[in-house]
Amino acid sequence: MAAPQDVHVRICNQEIVKFDLEVKALIQDIRDCSGPLSALTELNTKVKEKFQQLRYRIQELEQSAKEQDKESEKQLLLQEVENHKKQMLRKTTKESLAQTSSAITESLMGISRMMSQQVQQSEEAMQTLVNSSRTILDANEEFKSMSGTIQLGRKLITKYNRRELTDKLLIFLALALFLATVLYIMKKRLFPFL
């Protein structure tokens, strides 16, 4: 049966490997991230947290190594601790930081381009709205003008309707007068004695 100390050492090693893989995955996520800035900041925070957890586990492993009874096991574990420390330091070298910052810069430039495109689209939309407003105002003015013309036409039609009624009445009276005159003349000629 394995000693509790050996089990603790194995667990520490497994967690170190796990955190190491998670840090690599997060760094790759940072490189692949195209924005927004809040996502990059969140990924950066997660990397820092994983590094802290990795440091803590390495320190635990180092403490366990110092507590080993056998000198050979102690030296073996301390060598493993040194390897983990070197790997962790390799991850935080200037080259890695430069690549990460380059990826972040590229992402920020991509975000800047996207924002520039959005601003341009907004300006175009604003210009379209301004043009639409002008068209609507012109149409409104034309409608007002047509409305005035329609009202004038309505007044003229009403006036012509009245005039038509008056004309019909005058024609009826003229016809009645004509017929009365014809009857009067016929009566005088045909029946002079009446």
Side-chain angles (χ1 to χ4, degrees):
M1 185 173 171
Q5 203 169 18
D6 291 339
V7 172
H8 181 69
V9 168
R10 218 175 314 133
I11 291 171
C12 277
N13 271 328
Q14 288 173 351
E15 288 183 349
I16 287 170
V17 170
K18 180 184 128 191
F19 290 135
D20 183 50
L21 291 172
E22 288 175 355
V23 166
K24 286 178 184 173
L26 285 168
I27 288 173
Q28 186 59 44
D29 288 347
I30 287 174
R31 287 185 181 133
D32 295 341
C33 185
S34 59
L37 186 58
S38 59
L40 287 171
T41 306
E42 187 179 334
L43 287 171
N44 193 22
T45 304
K46 285 181 181 177
V47 169
K48 287 179 184 175
E49 289 171 4
K50 293 299 175 189
F51 263 122
Q52 286 175 346
Q53 292 169 340
L54 190 57
R55 270 193 212 102
Y56 176 72
R57 287 298 174 202
I58 291 172
Q59 287 170 356
E60 267 190 82
L61 186 61
E62 188 174 18
Q63 186 62 38
S64 294
K66 289 176 182 175
E67 293 171 359
Q68 289 294 315
D69 294 334
K70 292 182 182 178
E71 189 62 31
S72 61
E73 287 181 15
K74 181 178 183 178
Q75 290 304 318
L76 189 64
L77 285 174
L78 285 173
Q79 183 60 41
E80 202 173 323
V81 167
E82 284 304 311
N83 287 340
H84 285 307
K85 283 183 179 179
K86 283 178 186 174
Q87 282 181 355
M88 193 172 89
L89 285 173
R90 238 179 277 136
K91 284 182 186 60
T92 57
T93 59
K94 288 183 180 178
E95 181 184 341
S96 175
L97 290 174
Q99 287 176 350
T100 304
S101 69
S102 165
I104 290 172
T105 303
E106 286 177 26
S107 297
L108 287 173
M109 288 174 68
I111 291 168
S112 175
R113 283 192 294 271
M114 283 173 30
M115 288 174 69
S116 174
Q117 289 172 352
Q118 288 293 329
V119 167
Q120 187 176 355
Q121 287 175 353
S122 295
E123 286 175 355
E124 289 171 2
M126 183 65 84
Q127 190 60 43
T128 303
L129 284 172
V130 167
N131 291 341
S132 296
S133 295
R134 280 192 197 128
T135 305
I136 289 170
L137 285 172
D138 291 345
N140 190 29
E141 289 301 317
E142 198 171 320
F143 177 74
K144 284 180 183 175
S145 171
M146 288 173 75
S147 176
T149 306
I150 289 169
Q151 285 179 353
L152 181 64
R154 186 179 295 138
K155 286 179 185 175
L156 286 173
I157 288 171
T158 305
K159 192 174 181 181
Y160 285 130
N161 283 340
R162 276 194 240 128
R163 179 67 131 222
E164 183 182 6
L165 185 66
T166 308
D167 288 348
K168 284 180 181 176
L169 187 61
L170 287 174
I171 289 171
F172 177 74
L173 288 175
L175 187 61
L177 183 65
F178 175 74
L179 288 175
T181 307
V182 168
L183 285 174
Y184 177 76
I185 291 173
M186 284 177 67
K187 178 183 149 212
K188 284 287 183 191
R189 296 235 175 163
L190 294 175
F191 309 104
F193 49 88
L194 283 176

